[in-house]
Amino acid sequence: MVIVMSANVIQREVDQVLDALCAVGRDGIVARGAGRTVIGVGGKLEDAAVQRISSMPGVACVIRVNAPYKLVAQQHNSSRSSVAVGDAVIGPDTATLIAGPCAVETPDQTLLAAHMAKSAGATLLRGGAYKPRTSPYAFQGLGERGLAILAEVGAELGMPVVTEVVDARDVDVVAAQADMLQIGTRNMANFGLLEAVGRAGKPVLLKRGMTATIEEWLLAAEYIAKQGNLDIVLCERGIRTFEPATRNTLDVSAVPVAQRLSHLPVIVDPSHSGGRRDLVVPLTRAALAAGADGVIVDVHPHPETARCDGPQALVDSDLAELETAVREMAAVMNRRIPVPATSVADRMEPALGLRL
Ligand code: PEP
Ligand code: MN
């Protein structure tokens, strides 16, 4: 069962519900997101206990959730969640663009890519410092140095940053530098890592495993939520099919399906799904038309030299088309485009040569 607390609940009221659960031999799991506090309870409560708890101060309602995932289920909230990341927001009212390099390679490359991202309207900067590569011989990312570069570039441009964490031992280090933690497709079912990011106190971007069902993906989100964190954004990034023309097949239907099953925002990665630059804009349009709350896109100033995923990175001359696609689709879908924050860098020429 899920106990939904009212929007203005105070801690004392949460504690009173936990005490009431304790009195009937149950533990409650408290999970919080922007404007939302819910308490999950395993199993079914007696009718008398449901009635008593329903009338307690701060309780909005008590709902029996049939789905195997509870805290992230749509059933207990008909209004969709928003997730705030610094000044950026991902939710039902906006079409949010996240963009940046696949991997942080150098300070200059990251700064140029960040300017590209911002000029296309991105309000969040992406960039991998820890890269989960299929081959152990491929570039694995700059690690802590990459995190520092990304954080400095993000601060310079006034953009919060999202970056992947691949190992539970790195969660604290990544959380200290990043505004949002990304779980990649290869780690969607790494349950220890999911629990560790759930405890990190930062919003989480959870990509769908490339061979995961939607239910498995939502159960992965539940692992994070069960640690108390409901600030989770789901990301459809393509699944493995028999089709070799694209890197993965973008499962557009996963967007409305996940949104019907869960209250969490759902975005799409048209770069990693198609794996081809020429498909990024059409897939962006498709994603937003299907109701996605945003897209996350790779950009690179010189993709021919990129150490990771160059063929899918948009270049300068693609950005106007990307910006137009997001703006037009947002208008069609009745969504607002968040305005990128102004920053020191906006008031100057893009100056290369960061302090790093
Ligand atoms: C990424 O976004 O950098 C990435 C590795 O994506 P995915 O996990 O979807 O392959
Ligand atoms: Mn990549």
Side-chain angles (χ1 to χ4, degrees):
M1 305 199 83
V2 171
I3 302 167
V4 183
M5 308 303 287
S6 38
N8 52 0
V9 67
I10 55 173
Q11 185 58 41
R12 182 161 41 81
E13 293 165 340
V14 173
D15 291 340
Q16 285 165 350
V17 171
L18 293 174
D19 289 345
L21 288 170
C22 191
V24 291
R26 298 301 182 84
D27 282 333
I29 297 157
V30 182
R32 292 189 171 87
R36 184 185 301 258
T37 301
V38 298
I39 302 177
V41 191
K44 191 172 183 310
L45 287 170
E46 299 284 319
D47 287 351
V50 171
Q51 264 174 22
R52 201 165 48 251
I53 291 171
S54 302
S55 60
M56 289 180 72
V59 174
C61 58
V62 181
I63 292 177
R64 181 160 172 73
V65 177
N66 304 320
Y69 38 85
K70 310 290 177 192
L71 301 167
V72 306
Q74 161 67 27
Q75 225 172 327
H76 59 76
N77 200 316
S78 51
S79 66
R80 310 201 46 69
S81 291
S82 283
V83 172
V85 186
D87 290 337
V89 65
I90 306 166
D93 303 326
T94 47
T96 299
L97 176 62
I98 306 172
C102 174
V104 173
E105 299 167 15
T106 67
D108 287 357
Q109 167 259 3
T110 307
L111 185 61
L112 286 170
H115 275 285
M116 293 170 69
K118 193 158 184 173
S119 72
T123 45
L124 248 111
L125 176 65
R126 64 148 289 148
Y130 295 87
K131 296 305 301 176
R133 305 306 297 279
T134 303
S135 164
Y137 302 111
F139 174 57
Q140 304 286 313
L142 298 183
E144 283 194 53
R145 179 167 153 71
L147 289 177
I149 293 171
L150 185 69
E152 182 163 349
V153 169
E156 182 97 358
L157 270 76
M159 298 171 85
V161 299
V162 53
T163 194
E164 182 163 352
V165 52
V166 298
D167 188 317
R169 290 168 297 189
D170 298 329
V171 169
D172 290 344
V173 169
V174 179
Q177 301 265 25
D179 300 289
M180 183 179 217
L181 306 180
Q182 178 172 324
I183 297 291
T185 192
R186 293 163 188 80
N187 273 309
M188 188 213 78
N190 182 340
F191 303 120
L193 179 61
L194 296 175
E195 288 174 341
V197 298
R199 288 191 293 268
K202 290 280 163 96
V204 179
L205 179 61
L206 176 64
K207 291 202 162 186
R208 178 182 179 185
M210 64 181 94
T211 58
T213 63
I214 293 170
E215 181 167 296
E216 288 163 345
W217 185 24
L218 297 180
L219 283 165
E222 188 79 8
Y223 267 94
I224 298 167
K226 193 163 177 272
Q227 298 304 313
N229 183 3
L230 272 181
D231 282 332
I232 305 165
V233 174
L234 300 168
C235 178
E236 159 62 38
R237 50 77 68 208
I239 52 174
R240 259 206 180 156
T241 68
F242 53 82
E243 177 53 66
T246 48
R247 184 175 178 179
N248 291 113
T249 299
L250 177 61
D251 182 6
V252 176
S253 53
V255 174
V257 170
Q259 287 176 337
R260 285 186 193 12
L261 297 173
S262 170
H263 58 82
L264 300 177
V266 181
I267 67 166
V268 164
D269 182 338
S271 306
H272 287 83
S273 46
R276 290 170 37 173
R277 180 172 308 127
D278 63 323
L279 298 183
V280 173
V281 170
L283 295 182
T284 293
R285 288 183 186 275
L288 295 173
D293 300 303
V295 287
I296 178 167
V297 171
D298 284 7
V299 298
H300 198 290
H302 305 290
E304 62 291 350
T305 66
R307 302 187 73 181
C308 185
D309 289 349
Q312 71 195 31
L314 295 187
V315 296
D316 259 322
S317 55
D318 300 316
L319 299 178
E321 212 190 331
L322 175 69
E323 191 269 336
T324 305
V326 174
R327 185 166 33 77
E328 289 180 350
M329 292 312 299
V332 170
M333 301 304 288
N334 206 12
R335 287 171 183 265
R336 193 166 53 74
I337 303 214
V339 183
T342 51
S343 65
V344 178
D346 290 329
R347 286 175 253 125
M348 308 175 184
E349 283 297 294
L352 295 187
L354 293 181
R355 283 173 292 287
L356 290 157

